[in-house]
Amino acid sequence: MNRIKVFSPATVANVACGFDVIGLALDNPGDEIEMWLSSEPGIRIREIHGADLPLEPSKNVCGVALQALVKKLPDPLNAGFEMIIKKNIQPGSGIGSSAASAAGAVVAANILLGEPFPKKKLVRFAMEGERLASGSAHADNVAPAILGGFTLVRSYTPVDIVGLPTPPGLWVTVIHPQIEVKTSDAREILKHKVLMTDAIKQWGNVAALVAGLYRNDYGLIGRSLEDVIVEPVRSILIPAFQELKIKCKEAGALGGGISGSGPSVFMLSTSEEIARNVADVMNNIYQPLGLEYHIHVSTVNQEGVKVISR
Amino acid sequence: MNRIKVFSPATVANVACGFDVIGLALDNPGDEIEMWLSSEPGIRIREIHGADLPLEPSKNVCGVALQALVKKLPDPLNAGFEMIIKKNIQPGSGIGSSAASAAGAVVAANILLGEPFPKKKLVRFAMEGERLASGSAHADNVAPAILGGFTLVRSYTPVDIVGLPTPPGLWVTVIHPQIEVKTSDAREILKHKVLMTDAIKQWGNVAALVAGLYRNDYGLIGRSLEDVIVEPVRSILIPAFQELKIKCKEAGALGGGISGSGPSVFMLSTSEEIARNVADVMNNIYQPLGLEYHIHVSTVNQEGVKVISR
């Protein structure tokens, strides 16, 4: 095989209480990457559709992630990579746009090369794409994009990724208000120090979220979706955030919060019906604001990057 | 039935990364509480063996916990409680001495009264004993003492306790150096604020510890037993702490840390043989120091307070 097309999912990082450590993958939207090997060494991005992003590999998250992979190949490579990227996840949306592209590129390349690396190892390479995109090689989007489901980044030194179970019937509703919040800016407004009392609340909730996922305990998951550290600071950047949160819960959502560094807001629900009701609530709140926005309703993606064709 | 004797276990709070939220119960040591109903209303502590503690109910953790329970009874009580307390857990040891007594008292009373409260509800009452003992109504010792196994305190407002699974074959070795570290002092030296970067590491580890317990993943449990917040501050109060930690791990322990607010240090192991080797290592380090100390080797207590006789 020397040609492949993959779907690489959008992801929700942090998942309320799990700032920088928890993430989950969506079944839609997602980027598509078509990749093929060529006899000429090097990486060439032939086309990018759907977003205005650099074709130059060293300035593109796919290129950088792929370079990281190539560097770690056991044997030197006598071939090159060509690719076409179709961006369906808008850059800056807060649902892992750069992560999806970087994850898709390394998974596609790994398959084309006969899978020299286990999936978890690919997270390291995709993280280099994140470093280019945001200045920080975080893994909380690329891990779920590659592995699917919910993931935990226990540690960065060394990178230690833990796959978590996904309770059945969990749906995600995401609203993406079309305002610009750069990951780097969203990180800058965070405080360097946090109250010990808040930190304790946060790790109680993170631990409970993990327990809830293992127990299929939707009530516990809902109660644990509280972020006392980051949300109070970042939510001021997002129009009608508090109203969204309150009314989506009233409509049956388990809970939710800011997706990644925003501006998207996610809500978890236990059925498609509730997830769509939550979408209606979001619509009702955002329509009068006169802002552009997109709403996605999705199941949790269980497998990460998927092969569409080969 | 109007007479009962219960065993109430020692507990390890915090369990390294889970400061103020995680705890686990031991099968030994434990306090013993004999309790019976009498026709005369009120609470009377008849004898206390093994420690110099006040008999006056309002100054004794058992009395205070029991008062909290009585206050919440649906109907007024036409009887009183009499009890004899046998302290096998030394006060100030850091393995939940006050929690064991408070937990034992409320469980015994609940059984004598025909179990008007579910077990989880009893945690609230026993917490009042903790408030008397340390000035803070924490639940990370009383929850495992009452419920057994590993427990998580997700939240205090409202109190939300989550039982966690115990992987098979887990052993605990505890060394109690006979130095005085008061819980209130140990809390005072803690910092009011913590670095965000440290807090993230901590909640990554707490989440991973919970996942490890659900997965029976001893490697993950071991890797997650790191406390970057409290241990660096409190461990200076404990003689040879770093040496203990390093050499116990070399002897096969998964990991460990300070038990509660210290001075006890605990280590988790995957077999009795390793747990006893770890005890030997502790002995070898502490014997030359000329300090008094006790070492306990125990399985994880799965059921909490146990009825010895009725």
Side-chain angles (χ1 to χ4, degrees):
Chain A
M1 179 198 10
N2 65 0
R3 193 176 194 104
I4 194 170
K5 193 173 177 182
V6 298
F7 167 92
S8 189
T11 45
V12 170
N14 301 347
V15 192
C17 52
F19 178 63
D20 268 9
V21 305
I22 308 268
L24 70 85
L26 301 178
D27 275 316
N28 74 73
D31 290 348
E32 286 172 25
I33 294 175
E34 196 171 352
M35 191 182 284
W36 61 99
L37 293 173
S38 76
S39 52
E40 192 189 338
I43 295 165
R44 283 164 299 278
I45 301 169
R46 291 300 182 189
E47 300 165 23
I48 300 176
H49 303 279
D52 184 24
L53 293 167
L55 290 166
E56 196 180 319
S58 66
K59 292 180 179 165
N60 182 293
V61 298
C62 294
V64 168
L66 205 41
Q67 280 165 349
L69 179 150
V70 169
K71 254 189 224 161
K72 293 286 180 183
L73 281 171
D75 303 308
L77 189 68
N78 278 327
F81 297 95
E82 318 261 332
M83 71 184 104
I84 296 169
I85 302 166
K86 187 170 175 221
K87 293 292 301 174
N88 295 318
I89 311 169
Q90 213 173 310
S93 52
I95 50 171
S97 178
S98 57
S101 293
V106 295
V107 172
N110 195 49
I111 295 172
L112 286 175
L113 297 174
E115 308 203 28
F117 300 108
K119 262 188 167 186
K120 265 198 188 173
K121 180 83 185 172
L122 299 176
V123 172
R124 291 295 297 269
F125 308 139
M127 283 166 66
E128 293 306 314
E130 295 294 70
R131 190 192 305 279
L132 177 74
S134 72
S136 138
H138 58 282
D140 46 348
N141 289 105
V142 291
I146 290 173
L147 303 170
F150 285 79
T151 58
L152 162 68
V153 186
R154 185 195 67 82
S155 155
Y156 281 91
T157 49
V159 174
D160 189 0
I161 310 285
V162 182
L164 301 173
T166 306
L170 214 53
W171 283 73
V172 192
T173 314
V174 176
I175 180 164
H176 169 211
Q178 298 282 88
I179 55 171
E180 194 178 1
V181 176
K182 279 193 181 167
T183 303
S184 49
D185 294 346
R187 292 195 84 86
E188 263 169 31
I189 63 166
L190 295 180
K191 297 189 170 74
H192 182 58
K193 287 192 168 186
V194 299
L195 287 175
M196 174 76 100
T197 47
D198 285 342
I200 293 166
K201 279 184 201 165
Q202 196 89 348
W203 62 63
N205 280 321
V206 179
L209 175 59
V210 173
L213 295 174
Y214 275 96
R215 293 159 56 137
N216 296 334
D217 184 336
Y218 300 105
L220 183 59
I221 292 168
R223 296 197 300 282
S224 69
L225 291 174
E226 286 299 332
D227 171 6
V228 298
I229 302 266
V230 175
E231 185 180 293
V233 182
R234 281 188 177 166
S235 59
I236 54 174
L237 303 172
I238 300 166
F241 178 81
Q242 292 307 332
E243 194 186 350
L244 269 180
K245 216 176 141 182
I246 292 164
K247 295 208 169 149
C248 288
K249 281 185 175 186
E250 284 172 4
L254 293 175
I258 304 168
S259 176
S261 56
S264 285
V265 174
F266 80 99
M267 288 286 150
L268 297 186
S269 300
T270 52
S271 72
E272 179 172 6
E273 192 190 347
I274 300 172
R276 297 208 180 276
N277 288 345
V278 166
D280 289 344
V281 167
M282 290 173 167
N283 252 317
N284 291 342
I285 294 171
Y286 259 69
Q287 236 161 19
L289 297 184
L291 274 171
E292 243 193 279
Y293 62 92
H294 295 291
I295 293 176
H296 307 283
V297 178
S298 174
T299 39
V300 176
N301 170 327
Q302 304 275 8
E303 46 190 324
V305 178
K306 291 179 224 193
V307 177
I308 301 172
S309 65
R310 47 173 122 200
Chain B
M1 176 195 15
N2 65 359
R3 191 175 196 102
I4 195 171
K5 192 170 175 184
V6 299
F7 167 91
S8 189
T11 44
V12 170
N14 301 347
V15 192
C17 52
F19 179 63
D20 268 6
V21 304
I22 308 268
L24 69 86
L26 302 179
D27 274 315
N28 74 73
D31 290 348
E32 285 171 27
I33 294 177
E34 198 171 350
M35 190 181 286
W36 61 100
L37 294 174
S38 73
S39 52
E40 191 189 338
I43 296 166
R44 282 164 300 278
I45 301 169
R46 292 296 183 192
E47 300 164 25
I48 300 176
H49 302 278
D52 184 23
L53 294 168
L55 290 166
E56 197 179 317
S58 65
K59 291 181 179 166
N60 182 293
V61 298
C62 293
V64 169
L66 205 41
Q67 279 165 350
L69 179 148
V70 169
K71 252 188 228 162
K72 293 285 180 185
L73 281 172
D75 302 308
L77 190 66
N78 278 328
F81 296 95
E82 317 261 334
M83 70 185 105
I84 296 170
I85 302 167
K86 186 168 174 222
K87 292 293 300 174
N88 296 315
I89 311 167
Q90 213 174 309
S93 53
I95 49 171
S97 178
S98 57
S101 293
V106 295
V107 172
N110 195 49
I111 295 172
L112 286 176
L113 297 174
E115 310 202 26
F117 300 108
K119 264 189 167 187
K120 265 195 187 175
K121 181 82 185 171
L122 300 176
V123 173
R124 288 297 296 271
F125 308 139
M127 284 166 66
E128 292 306 314
E130 295 294 69
R131 191 193 304 277
L132 177 73
S134 72
S136 137
H138 57 283
D140 45 350
N141 289 104
V142 289
I146 290 173
L147 303 170
F150 284 79
T151 58
L152 162 68
V153 186
R154 184 194 67 81
S155 155
Y156 281 91
T157 48
V159 174
D160 190 0
I161 310 285
V162 183
L164 301 173
T166 306
L170 214 52
W171 283 73
V172 191
T173 314
V174 176
I175 181 165
H176 169 211
Q178 299 281 88
I179 55 171
E180 195 178 1
V181 176
K182 280 195 180 164
T183 304
S184 49
D185 294 346
R187 290 195 85 86
E188 262 169 30
I189 62 167
L190 294 179
K191 295 189 173 73
H192 183 59
K193 287 191 168 187
V194 298
L195 286 175
M196 175 77 101
T197 48
D198 285 342
I200 294 167
K201 279 183 201 166
Q202 197 89 348
W203 64 61
N205 280 321
V206 179
L209 174 60
V210 173
L213 294 175
Y214 275 96
R215 293 159 56 137
N216 296 333
D217 184 336
Y218 300 104
L220 183 59
I221 292 168
R223 296 198 300 283
S224 68
L225 291 173
E226 287 299 331
D227 171 5
V228 298
I229 302 266
V230 176
E231 183 181 294
V233 183
R234 282 188 176 166
S235 61
I236 53 172
L237 303 173
I238 299 166
F241 178 82
Q242 292 307 331
E243 193 186 352
L244 270 179
K245 214 175 143 182
I246 292 165
K247 293 208 170 149
C248 290
K249 280 186 174 183
E250 283 172 5
L254 292 174
I258 303 169
S259 176
S261 56
S264 286
V265 175
F266 79 99
M267 287 287 149
L268 296 186
S269 299
T270 53
S271 72
E272 180 172 5
E273 190 189 349
I274 299 171
R276 297 210 179 274
N277 289 344
V278 167
D280 291 343
V281 167
M282 289 174 168
N283 254 316
N284 292 340
I285 293 170
Y286 259 69
Q287 237 159 18
L289 297 184
L291 274 172
E292 245 194 278
Y293 61 91
H294 294 290
I295 294 177
H296 307 283
V297 178
S298 174
T299 39
V300 176
N301 171 325
Q302 302 276 7
E303 45 192 323
V305 178
K306 288 180 226 195
V307 177
I308 300 172
S309 64
R310 50 171 122 197

